[in-house]
Amino acid sequence: MTSPAAPAIETANLGRVRGVVASARRRLRVQGAFEGATTASILASASALTTVFAVRSEAIAPGTGIGLLAACGSVIAVGAVLGATRKLDDEEVARKVDRASGLADRLSTAIAFERMLDANKDAGDPETMEMMRAAMRDAVRAAPRANVLAAAPFRKPRDLPIALGFAAVAIIAAGVGIVQPERDPRLVGAVPTMAKRGAEVSITGMRLCGPDATPTASCALEGAMVYVGDEKAPIHGATAGTLGTSYALIAAAAANGPVAASVLDWTGESITVVIPQGAAIGKTQLVVWARGKQWGAVPFEVLRDDDPRAMKDNTVVLDEDDEAYLRDLVARVRDQAKKDEVKALDEYAAKIEALIDQAEQGQITKEELLARMKEAEEALSQGNEPDPEQIEKDLAETGEELARNELTKELGKALEQNDLEKAKQDLEKLAEKLDKGELTEKQKQDLAKAMEQAARQFEKKQEEREDKQEQQVAKAEEQLRKLEKERDKARTEAEKQEAERRLEKQKRELAELKKQQEQARQSAQRESLKRLHKNMEKAAKQLQNKQPQDGQQDGEKPEDGKTGQQQDGQQDGQQDGEQDGQKQASRTLKDMAEETGKVDMDQRKQAAQKKVSSQMEDLREAMRRAKQRGSRGPQNPFGKNNKSGQQKSLAQRGGQKGQGQGQGQGQGQGQGQGQGQQGQGQQNGGQGNQPGGPSNTYGDGHDPNLVGDATGKSGNTTDESVSGVHGKKGTSRRETVLSAAQKGFASTAYKSVYADYEKIKEDVMHNEKVPSSYRRYVNKYFTNIKPGSSNEPQD
């Protein structure tokens, strides 16, 4: 019989069996890791391919794609770990070894018996247990014959072909390029490519707000900015800028060379910026930053303010004479505005001066110049009274009515004489007297009666005039309908043409009537005049207001039975009401004074405008004749440097021999020669065969006979030359002018002579019908010889 220690020793001898099983298990785990990694690589390949396509199509960011690719690699590692750590039972592993080694399940049976003996140490049949131990000993003896390599061989993973196929497809697909539309922003260029400081410039491009944004829609990008300078030059704080760069960023940029530009608008197809004043003159770049990085740069050139290339095409060109002439006209308008204290006229002069400045800088076209000048004239003429004489007549009639009252006699005279400034002062004095209570009850009632009568008279005549205007318009419309019927009934072509002519004439007359009617409605003077008389009537009612008792008419005695105290209370209330009415009347008189001042101001504006109408007409003509950049413009009809006529005239006057020859700048050339009282001339005209220009552009030609023929003489005349005699009164005007021509236009005597002739010239220009061509050159001549002008003779 076996001793008790035998089972433990036999159990310990199973270590050989366990060693064989452990070796087989390790090999099986390695094989499992290969299998798991291979199977997981199929999923990893598919995932990696998807990630590559997502990155290329910009569905995900490159950084995200790298992370996903790393995750795909970890999938393989996870598959290997799962395959290696799967559960392997010792008995199952031993059975694999038994079958591979031909051990007839000895090892697996020993493992099974060992578990049974450990579980039933103190129970069971001893004989059976002894047989189990014998089997275990047999397994130990057979362990050396175990073939672990055969039991757990390393072989290709089952999914290896599939995995290789997926990997190959993924590699091939990853190498194939995907044709995708460009999504990155791209700069094209600057429009214009050169400009002066302060000009607006557009940087054109594509996808400047992103690939999916609407090209014309504005956007605000993080760190969006543009600076003028070299793209390689550092600019501090570029990534912190936003649309509308901060002053700190501009200062930081300027300190390092490049200068930040103000961004006006940022769309998907353009960036509009203003070239900063601090930008360096010369060739440079416009550099664009956004979203923390530099997008690129476009070439650009910053021009000087006086660089001709900075001027817009087709802009107005003013030579020195034209500019001096225009500024002289504006100065005269401004002087008149200051003299008459007319703010509207001064504003008009400022607008015209600004237009001249823009023309000088090449910033405005001729069309824009004329249009803006027309706008300035319309703004000045807005609210003008079409019939100023009627306003003066209405004021005179009102004054005549008021002059009948002793208290308003001076006010009435001022209105009759159209001295509205004095009338305003008289109204203010009346208001002051009411405030101080200096008027008696009778004076107040007389004042109220006079103002009420004057107001009613004005309203009556105003209604009559308006009714008359309405009747005139209605009559004209009726006549128009009658002429339309006559035209429709015309039988012959001649009758129809005559009817059309009369119809068009009637339409013009009707339009003129309606225009006058509308101007009268919009007249600022008439509106002020109406408010003046309404306030006059209002003040009259306020002065007549005696605050009667409830249910009591004026002049009615108090009811019987009322105590004296009650009657005194009513009288006190009446006195308070009269005082309130007096205060209200005083305020209304002040309103009347204000309306009178408005009429006076508008009259002074129209009067000043009439005074400078000649200058305004000259301004319009000068602007109309201004040249455009790239065109020759109108030519001098008198001929530049053409002295032949002058020399011929001098020769004829003095009876001396003289000859002159002149050549103009027109299409033809002329030569003239004269001697004594007789002269011969020959005119050779040039030929022209050039086609006319387009109809939508300004012409630059002129009528060769623009100034017309010389005025014919009537009667017998004799040219005589009279020599002046020097006396104690000083030099003659002739000597003064000749001296100024030699020494300059700054002498006191010449200024006096110039002022006299200037006045004569203005009177002639204003009172006579002088052709516009004459007016322009005469005015330019006087501008050039103006005292202190820059066109003085040089020594």
Side-chain angles (χ1 to χ4, degrees):
M1 189 172 181
T2 308
S3 63
I9 295 173
E10 293 169 358
T11 303
N13 289 333
L14 284 181
R16 293 181 180 178
V17 176
R18 294 193 188 95
V20 172
V21 172
S23 297
R25 183 187 293 111
R26 284 194 297 271
R27 292 180 65 86
L28 289 173
R29 289 191 184 281
V30 173
Q31 180 66 32
F34 289 154
E35 294 285 351
T38 303
T39 303
S41 67
I42 298 174
L43 177 61
S45 298
S47 301
L49 180 61
T50 304
T51 301
V52 170
F53 272 87
V55 171
R56 287 187 174 181
S57 60
E58 297 184 1
I60 59 176
T64 304
I66 293 173
L68 291 176
L69 289 176
C72 292
S74 65
V75 169
I76 299 176
V78 170
V81 171
L82 292 177
T85 58
R86 64 177 180 168
K87 187 177 181 181
L88 295 175
D89 186 68
D90 289 349
E91 186 177 351
E92 182 182 353
V93 174
R95 189 174 293 112
K96 288 181 176 293
V97 176
D98 286 336
R99 292 176 181 175
S101 305
L103 297 179
D105 294 335
R106 286 184 175 87
L107 301 182
S108 60
T109 300
I111 296 298
F113 284 168
E114 182 183 26
R115 292 175 179 173
M116 292 174 64
L117 289 174
D118 290 338
N120 300 287
K121 291 181 180 179
D122 300 329
D125 184 19
E127 187 174 353
T128 304
M129 294 178 65
E130 182 61 28
M131 291 178 64
M132 294 172 64
R133 292 188 186 99
M136 292 169 60
R137 288 191 294 271
D138 183 54
V140 172
R141 288 191 296 271
R145 302 199 307 268
N147 189 350
V148 177
L149 297 179
F154 291 145
R155 55 179 178 269
K156 292 189 303 182
R158 293 189 304 273
D159 295 333
L160 182 60
I162 299 175
L164 292 175
F166 265 86
V169 171
I171 293 172
I172 295 173
V176 176
I178 302 176
V179 179
Q180 291 284 345
E182 293 186 25
R183 302 180 66 84
D184 293 333
R186 185 165 70 90
L187 304 179
V188 176
V191 180
T193 58
M194 59 184 70
K196 61 183 181 180
R197 288 172 290 195
E200 292 185 11
V201 175
S202 294
I203 303 174
T204 59
M206 294 182 289
R207 301 176 295 279
L208 301 180
C209 287
D212 300 324
T214 304
T216 57
S218 299
C219 62
L221 303 179
E222 181 182 359
M225 70 163 295
V226 177
Y227 69 86
V228 182
D230 188 356
E231 64 177 329
K232 297 180 181 179
I235 178 167
H236 299 294
T239 58
T242 57
L243 193 64
T245 310
S246 66
Y247 290 108
L249 183 59
I250 294 175
N256 292 273
V259 183
S262 298
V263 179
L264 302 181
D265 191 21
W266 192 302
T267 67
E269 60 186 8
S270 67
I271 305 169
T272 304
V273 300
V274 176
I275 303 302
Q277 294 297 330
I281 300 296
K283 293 185 178 181
T284 181
Q285 291 177 312
L286 300 180
V287 187
V288 180
W289 277 77
R291 292 173 177 168
K293 64 178 182 179
Q294 188 185 103
W295 282 8
V298 295
F300 186 75
E301 184 175 0
V302 181
L303 303 176
R304 299 189 310 272
D305 292 345
D306 58 351
D307 194 319
R309 294 177 297 170
M311 311 299 180
K312 297 180 180 178
D313 294 336
N314 299 325
T315 53
V316 176
V317 181
L318 297 177
D319 57 31
E320 293 183 3
D321 287 348
D322 287 336
E323 183 183 350
Y325 170 56
L326 288 171
R327 292 193 185 278
D328 183 65
L329 290 175
V330 173
R332 294 183 190 181
V333 174
R334 178 159 281 174
D335 290 343
Q336 189 67 48
K338 291 181 179 179
K339 180 180 178 181
D340 294 341
E341 297 181 353
V342 180
K343 184 179 178 181
L345 190 60
D346 189 64
E347 292 175 350
Y348 166 79
K351 291 178 182 178
I352 301 303
E353 192 169 27
L355 290 176
I356 297 174
D357 292 339
Q358 289 181 317
E360 181 185 9
Q361 298 172 6
Q363 296 179 349
I364 188 170
T365 64
K366 188 167 184 178
E367 291 79 1
E368 293 171 339
L369 178 68
L370 297 176
R372 293 185 189 178
M373 187 172 184
K374 183 180 180 181
E375 291 175 2
E377 290 180 355
E378 290 176 350
L380 178 63
S381 302
Q382 187 175 8
N384 276 3
E385 169 58 40
D387 190 3
E389 292 79 8
Q390 183 61 52
I391 298 295
E392 294 181 8
K393 183 179 179 182
D394 290 340
L395 288 171
E397 291 175 351
T398 300
E400 183 181 356
E401 188 66 34
L402 293 175
R404 297 174 183 175
N405 182 274
E406 187 64 28
L407 193 61
T408 57
K409 186 175 182 179
E410 293 299 323
L411 171 62
K413 287 183 178 179
L415 292 175
E416 282 186 279
Q417 297 172 2
N418 200 41
D419 188 354
L420 300 185
E421 181 64 27
K422 186 176 184 304
K424 179 182 177 183
Q425 295 174 359
D426 291 338
L427 285 169
E428 291 172 345
K429 289 179 182 178
L430 276 177
E432 185 178 358
K433 288 181 178 180
L434 280 175
D435 285 335
K436 294 180 178 180
E438 297 178 356
L439 300 182
T440 64
E441 185 63 30
K442 183 177 184 305
Q443 287 177 324
K444 288 189 286 186
Q445 295 305 315
D446 290 344
L447 174 62
K449 183 177 179 181
M451 290 193 298
E452 184 178 21
Q453 182 65 26
R456 289 181 177 177
Q457 176 180 299
F458 171 79
E459 291 177 359
K460 180 180 179 181
K461 292 188 176 182
Q462 184 71 17
E463 290 177 358
E464 290 176 355
R465 279 196 298 269
E466 291 177 354
D467 292 342
K468 184 177 180 181
Q469 287 179 345
E470 293 292 342
Q471 291 174 3
Q472 288 176 343
V473 172
K475 184 178 179 181
E477 290 176 343
E478 179 63 28
Q479 182 66 20
L480 184 66
R481 289 191 290 270
K482 182 179 178 181
L483 290 174
E484 288 176 345
K485 292 180 180 179
E486 291 181 3
R487 179 197 59 186
D488 296 338
K489 293 180 179 180
R491 296 181 180 179
T492 64
E493 186 65 25
E495 291 178 353
K496 187 175 182 180
Q497 290 180 357
E498 176 63 19
E500 286 284 358
R501 184 188 63 79
R502 294 169 60 195
L503 181 61
E504 290 299 323
K505 180 181 178 182
Q506 186 63 29
K507 285 181 179 180
R508 289 192 297 269
E509 291 178 356
L510 178 59
E512 184 64 25
L513 283 174
K514 289 184 176 181
K515 180 181 177 181
Q516 293 176 358
Q517 190 177 32
E518 185 63 24
Q519 287 177 341
R521 289 173 182 170
Q522 295 180 357
S523 168
Q525 290 186 45
R526 295 204 184 195
E527 288 299 318
S528 296
L529 199 61
K530 288 179 182 178
R531 289 193 294 267
L532 172 64
H533 286 85
K534 285 183 180 179
N535 286 332
M536 195 177 292
E537 186 177 6
K538 181 180 177 182
K541 291 181 179 179
Q542 290 168 343
L543 288 172
Q544 293 171 349
N545 184 14
K546 295 183 178 180
Q547 297 290 337
Q549 301 176 10
D550 295 339
Q552 177 182 342
Q553 302 297 326
D554 293 342
E556 197 174 29
K557 294 182 179 180
E559 297 179 2
D560 295 337
K562 295 266 179 112
T563 64
Q565 183 177 1
Q566 291 174 333
Q567 293 179 8
D568 292 341
Q570 291 177 354
Q571 290 176 358
D572 292 340
Q574 183 175 348
Q575 292 176 358
D576 293 340
E578 290 177 357
Q579 290 179 356
D580 290 341
Q582 185 171 312
K583 292 180 180 179
Q584 292 174 358
S586 175
R587 287 196 296 269
T588 305
L589 284 173
K590 292 177 182 178
D591 293 339
M592 291 169 58
E594 183 179 354
E595 295 299 336
T596 304
K598 290 181 180 179
V599 176
D600 180 44
M601 184 181 298
D602 200 72
Q603 282 187 349
R604 284 190 290 109
K605 185 194 87 168
Q606 283 195 235
Q609 189 174 346
K610 186 177 181 180
K611 291 177 185 177
V612 298
S613 59
S614 175
Q615 283 80 9
M616 293 176 63
E617 182 180 350
D618 292 339
L619 279 170
R620 284 192 298 269
E621 176 65 17
M623 295 290 193
R624 187 186 66 80
R625 297 174 66 90
K627 294 179 289 185
Q628 290 189 175
R629 198 171 302 278
S631 66
R632 294 176 299 171
Q635 299 173 352
N636 187 342
F638 300 102
K640 186 176 181 181
N641 299 326
N642 191 344
K643 302 180 181 179
S644 59
Q646 299 174 7
Q647 294 176 350
K648 181 177 180 180
S649 176
L650 290 173
Q652 290 176 349
R653 287 182 183 180
Q656 301 173 356
K657 296 182 180 181
Q659 64 181 17
Q661 182 173 346
Q663 182 171 337
Q665 292 183 346
Q667 294 178 351
Q669 298 179 351
Q671 298 177 349
Q673 181 175 351
Q675 182 175 358
Q677 296 295 329
Q678 298 178 352
Q680 296 179 352
Q682 184 176 358
Q683 183 80 16
N684 296 327
Q687 296 180 355
N689 54 7
Q690 298 296 328
S695 60
N696 61 346
T697 59
Y698 289 92
D700 57 6
H702 65 83
D703 185 354
N705 195 28
L706 178 63
V707 297
D709 297 330
T711 303
K713 296 181 180 179
S714 59
N716 297 322
T717 60
T718 304
D719 290 336
E720 294 183 356
S721 178
V722 180
S723 300
V725 179
H726 292 286
K728 295 182 180 180
K729 295 184 178 180
T731 59
S732 66
R733 293 194 175 197
R734 177 177 179 275
E735 291 176 336
T736 300
V737 173
L738 290 176
S739 176
Q742 295 175 356
K743 299 180 180 180
F745 302 143
S747 66
T748 304
Y750 177 75
K751 290 180 181 178
S752 176
V753 172
Y754 177 86
D756 293 341
Y757 281 106
E758 171 73 10
K759 186 177 183 303
I760 295 173
K761 185 263 293 184
E762 288 296 332
D763 291 341
V764 172
M765 292 287 195
H766 184 72
N767 297 322
E768 298 185 12
K769 294 182 179 180
V770 181
S772 60
S773 57
Y774 277 117
R775 293 176 65 91
R776 178 170 181 263
Y777 291 103
V778 170
N779 283 325
K780 286 184 67 174
Y781 170 76
F782 271 82
T783 299
N784 288 334
I785 66 171
K786 185 177 181 181
S789 68
S790 60
N791 297 331
E792 297 181 2
Q794 302 297 327
D795 295 337

